[in-house]
Amino acid sequence: VAGGMFGVDKWKMDQMARGPTFTEECVKATEVSRVKQTDEKRLDTIMESTLGMMPWVNVSAAVICGGQIEECLMINRLEQHSRIDQVIVIQTCDDIKGGVEFHENREELLLDCERETLGALALALGPERGIGLVALDPSADYEMAQIVNAIASADSSQDGTEREYFTHDLMALAPVPDPSERWRSIFLDQFRLLWYKPFTYRAEVLFNSTDSSLEMGTFMSGNDRFVLDLDEVNRDIEQRTGLIAEVRHIHGGTGTYADEYNPSQFSLPGDYDQRGPYEQWQSQQPTGLQTIVQMVGGHDLSSDKVKSFLQGSLAQLDLGSLSPIHDYTMQGDGSVVEATWEGGHAILLWDGREHVGLNIFTYNDDATLANRLVGHITKIDPLLTVALR
């Protein structure tokens, strides 16, 4: 603990100057690149295993793709899954292909695309069915993910009297092949906020190899075995692909609400036996005492003078084996003086102006030595007064 020193530009520079300086790294850092979108086999295996957590059957799945269906990797995997009997492809609308972030009519174009998407969903689902699985393909565009989030948001706010496009419980998947595309993770986070209820989970799992990695984001509601299922799925993926699964985050929804819950027992701190903790606390023995004193004033302070303060004061004390006193003046306008003896040590810091800080540590719980040391210093220079202790 120190008050600082004038003449040092920044504390970060001071920190960089401490300790040994390494001119060459012992271990060269290896840059980790993401799995390319052309690595279809690994992604297909991860998708297949992750879909195994889905507990429902006869599911209508919606896959968000880019402009070209042939580039959409997830369509084939979803169509082959035994629990999925309908796959709805949500393609990027023609008017927003290539992105409309800076288009002057952006809001209007997105609204038109949302209406077009709603019409296609209503036609594909019919009056009775709802989407139970949403998959965001690596080829999908940011704008289409926004539109699907908007449809889901409107769906969750309805009172049941209007057409609903999603089922009561839902699963959503979004691989993140490029770490710069964080909007894919946000896409899943929105579902967690909309389906905010018990047994709702949002997981981020990073699958690593020696030279690449791929993040798979998963959202699911209505599965109380999600964490156990996720562990089994990750083990399966590791065995089949050789990748190492690293669970980054698992976020949950609300806790299970118990209406008018009456606890069978209500305990206060006095109901517990406190004797053991109290006796243990009383038996603790301090191993040392640190005293920090800040002094201001003094007459014509200098590096040599503050060194003599500590040197002369310690000479008045019976410290036994006192090591040679060292002072350091390489940094800033002030100086640092340190002294070590068998029972402790003292560090004096002068800031280059009128502030002197003294940090004393002794191996016993007794402030007598610190008090005597400060008293001797103030006798050497009566203009030096204790400002804070």
Side-chain angles (χ1 to χ4, degrees):
V1 178
M5 184 187 298
F6 289 97
V8 178
D9 293 337
K10 296 180 180 179
W11 66 267
K12 291 185 178 180
M13 296 178 60
D14 178 60
Q15 187 179 43
M16 292 172 61
R18 299 177 191 170
T21 302
F22 297 99
T23 58
E24 185 176 352
E25 295 182 0
C26 298
V27 180
K28 297 293 184 181
T30 303
E31 184 177 353
V32 177
S33 61
R34 294 283 185 171
V35 172
K36 303 297 187 295
Q37 293 185 14
T38 53
D39 191 357
E40 300 179 16
K41 186 175 181 180
R42 279 178 170 173
L43 177 59
D44 187 69
T45 302
I46 294 172
M47 278 289 299
E48 179 187 358
S49 296
T50 306
L51 286 171
M53 292 192 295
M54 187 169 55
W56 317 293
V57 295
N58 301 324
V59 175
S60 292
V63 55
I64 307 171
C65 299
Q68 303 296 327
I69 292 183
E70 57 270 17
E71 297 178 356
C72 198
L73 304 177
M74 291 187 173
I75 295 178
N76 185 52
R77 167 47 51 201
L78 296 179
E79 289 178 340
Q80 293 178 3
H81 200 278
S82 59
R83 297 181 181 179
I84 298 174
D85 65 354
Q86 182 185 24
V87 177
I88 303 170
V89 178
I90 302 177
Q91 276 188 272
T92 303
C93 299
D94 293 335
D95 292 340
I96 66 171
K97 286 182 178 179
V100 292
E101 182 178 0
F102 302 106
H103 198 285
E104 58 181 355
N105 298 323
R106 179 179 183 275
E107 299 298 329
E108 182 180 344
L109 292 174
L110 291 177
L111 186 59
D112 289 341
C113 183
E114 183 177 339
R115 294 194 188 101
E116 180 182 334
T117 304
L118 283 171
L121 290 177
L123 183 63
L125 293 169
E128 302 295 335
R129 306 197 64 159
I131 298 171
L133 170 68
V134 179
L136 186 67
D137 190 80
S139 67
D141 297 319
Y142 168 66
E143 288 78 8
M144 289 308 299
Q146 279 189 311
I147 288 172
V148 173
N149 275 151
I151 295 173
S153 178
D155 211 46
S156 65
S157 63
Q158 293 181 8
D159 57 7
T161 60
E162 300 180 38
R163 176 71 170 92
E164 296 183 359
Y165 294 91
F166 294 87
T167 55
H168 178 72
D169 287 314
L170 179 74
M171 183 178 188
L173 301 175
V176 185
D178 188 341
S180 66
E181 294 184 325
R182 298 312 304 171
W183 60 267
R184 294 180 177 272
S185 297
I186 297 173
F187 170 78
L188 289 184
D189 291 336
Q190 292 299 312
F191 284 104
R192 186 175 73 91
L193 297 177
L194 295 173
W195 270 258
Y196 196 66
K197 58 183 182 179
F199 306 123
T200 295
Y201 299 93
R202 160 77 171 95
E204 293 180 11
V205 183
L206 196 63
F207 295 97
N208 300 297
S209 68
T210 56
D211 59 353
S212 61
S213 64
L214 170 69
E215 179 185 320
M216 172 60 76
T218 307
F219 163 81
M220 180 176 287
S221 67
N223 182 5
D224 58 351
R225 283 184 45 86
F226 177 83
V227 177
L228 298 175
D229 290 345
L230 181 66
D231 181 62
E232 294 178 5
V233 165
N234 290 341
R235 293 175 185 273
D236 178 65
I237 294 173
E238 288 179 333
Q239 292 178 356
R240 296 174 61 186
T241 65
L243 299 172
I244 303 299
E246 177 187 348
V247 179
R248 289 290 184 88
H249 300 287
I250 298 181
H251 302 285
T254 63
T256 304
Y257 177 71
D259 189 25
E260 297 183 0
Y261 174 72
N262 293 316
S264 60
Q265 184 176 356
F266 189 82
S267 300
L268 296 173
D271 297 327
Y272 297 91
D273 187 355
Q274 305 280 355
R275 289 175 298 178
Y278 180 75
E279 291 173 357
Q280 194 277 335
W281 179 74
Q282 290 281 23
S283 67
Q284 293 182 16
Q285 298 296 324
T287 58
L289 176 68
Q290 183 181 26
T291 305
I292 300 174
V293 182
Q294 295 184 4
M295 295 173 282
V296 295
H299 177 68
D300 294 335
L301 297 180
S302 64
S303 297
D304 291 336
K305 190 171 185 178
V306 295
K307 179 181 179 180
S308 69
F309 288 167
L310 188 61
Q311 199 167 25
S313 299
L314 291 174
Q316 301 294 321
L317 305 176
D318 184 16
L319 299 178
S321 56
L322 176 64
S323 300
I325 295 177
H326 300 281
D327 64 326
Y328 307 90
T329 59
M330 294 84 71
Q331 294 289 330
D333 300 336
S335 63
V336 178
V337 186
E338 65 90 12
T340 303
W341 60 94
E342 185 176 353
H345 64 261
I347 300 174
L348 185 147
L349 170 67
W350 174 50
D351 70 348
R353 301 291 189 273
E354 59 176 13
H355 182 282
V356 176
L358 187 61
N359 192 330
I360 309 164
F361 179 81
T362 56
Y363 291 104
N364 56 60
D365 188 21
D366 188 356
T368 302
L369 187 145
N371 293 334
R372 292 177 62 192
L373 182 59
V374 173
H376 285 303
I377 291 176
T378 54
K379 284 182 180 179
I380 295 174
D381 189 342
L383 296 180
L384 202 61
T385 60
V386 176
L388 186 64
R389 177 169 178 161

